[in-house]
Amino acid sequence: DQQVKQNSPSLSVQEGRISILNCDYTNSMFDYFLWYKKYPAEGPTFLISISSIKDKNEDGRFTVFLNKSAKHLSLHIVPSQPGDSAVYFCAASAAGTASKLTFGTGTRLQVTL
Amino acid sequence: DGGITQSPKYLFRKEGQNVTLSCEQNLNHDAMYWYRQDPGQGLRLIYYSQIVNDFQKGDIAEGYSVSREKKESFPLTVTSAQKNPTAFYLCASRGTSGYYNEQFFGPGTRLTVL
């Protein structure tokens, strides 16, 4: 029972273009969503988050959109840079659960020159 | 320089041996977590602790044990009862000052059981 799904295992984008990474969830109790970036053999690095009271949060080149009715969120990276090449994980937590995170399986982003 | 340290980076053990993975943080965070990552999968929660001397099982606690005797430390023991212990183990911590707080992760320990 996968409560957080990232259906695209990989994505290739040209440098300077927009990268859009998608994430779907099934648990309607989730109220906080996060995106992490991960390089091989390293720990994930927090990128950006959004609470369920918002539908958009922006931080520099990164923007996260939340569509609660569709149980869908997306991460936009504009413009994409070669250093953005990594695996991106979507994660979610529900109120009252000690902020336990449920992770998706990740999307590998490759930004090409 | 605040952060989370995990040691060692790589660990090899023979089948049937218990092994303890270290996790230390100097971020003054109350909550700490252990996750496991397998190839092609997301991170799965093993154990978590919200306060010293208290911890709870996560989604895949069987074959693992933890202790939380100090705020800074949350060691994980992989016992011989864990059927597939070879994996990448990640420790995380989280502050509890606000309602929403992200988790910060350590660099991970790659455990290989031979």
Side-chain angles (χ1 to χ4, degrees), chain A residues 31-32 34 36 38 41-44 46 51 89 95 98-101 103-105, chain B residues 9 33 35 37 41-43 45 48 50 88 90 94 99-100 102-103 105-107:
Chain A
D31 68 342
Y32 186 49
L34 309 89
Y36 284 86
K38 187 179 181 302
E42 293 185 13
F46 170 73
S51 69
F89 288 97
S99 294
K100 293 187 296 179
L101 293 178
F103 282 84
T105 52
Chain B
K9 180 72 173 174
Y33 306 80
Y35 294 88
Q37 186 189 18
Q41 297 193 33
L43 282 65
L45 181 65
Y48 64 102
Q50 298 185 78
F88 189 50
L90 288 154
R94 179 183 66 89
Y99 190 75
Y100 296 113
E102 65 270 19
Q103 292 183 22
F105 284 82

Side-chain angles (χ1 to χ4, degrees), chain B residues 88-114:
Chain B
F88 189 50
Y89 290 88
L90 288 154
C91 178
S93 72
R94 179 183 66 89
T96 53
S97 57
Y99 190 75
Y100 296 113
N101 296 92
E102 65 270 19
Q103 292 183 22
F104 294 92
F105 284 82
T109 293
R110 166 85 50 196
L111 173 64
T112 302
V113 175
L114 306 171

Side-chain angles (χ1 to χ4, degrees), chain A residues 25 30-33 50-57 64-69 71-74:
Chain A
Y25 62 96
F30 287 148
D31 68 342
Y32 186 49
F33 305 88
I50 188 167
S51 69
S52 59
I53 61 174
K54 295 184 175 181
D55 53 20
K56 177 183 174 181
N57 190 26
V64 56
F65 296 92
L66 175 62
N67 182 335
K68 289 186 288 295
S69 61
K71 292 192 176 68
H72 176 85
L73 64 155
S74 60

Side-chain angles (χ1 to χ4, degrees), chain B residues 6-104:
Chain B
Q6 292 185 243
S7 60
K9 180 72 173 174
Y10 299 95
L11 192 54
F12 297 88
R13 280 294 181 270
K14 291 183 179 179
E15 195 171 342
Q17 289 182 333
N18 291 356
V19 59
T20 297
L21 282 59
S22 167
C23 176
E24 303 278 333
Q25 55 98 0
N26 61 4
L27 299 167
N28 199 34
H29 286 169
D30 287 311
M32 297 187 74
Y33 306 80
W34 273 105
Y35 294 88
R36 164 183 175 141
Q37 186 189 18
D38 294 283
Q41 297 193 33
L43 282 65
R44 293 182 291 165
L45 181 65
I46 303 173
Y47 266 98
Y48 64 102
S49 168
Q50 298 185 78
I51 199 167
V52 174
N53 293 323
D54 187 47
F55 49 82
Q56 286 79 39
K57 293 182 179 179
D59 300 319
I60 55 166
E62 186 176 351
Y64 300 98
S65 66
V66 293
S67 64
R68 186 84 188 277
E69 297 176 1
K70 297 188 300 181
K71 186 176 184 177
E72 303 79 19
S73 178
F74 191 39
L76 173 75
T77 297
V78 185
T79 74
S80 56
Q82 168 51 232
K83 294 179 182 177
N84 297 297
T86 294
F88 189 50
Y89 290 88
L90 288 154
C91 178
S93 72
R94 179 183 66 89
T96 53
S97 57
Y99 190 75
Y100 296 113
N101 296 92
E102 65 270 19
Q103 292 183 22
F104 294 92

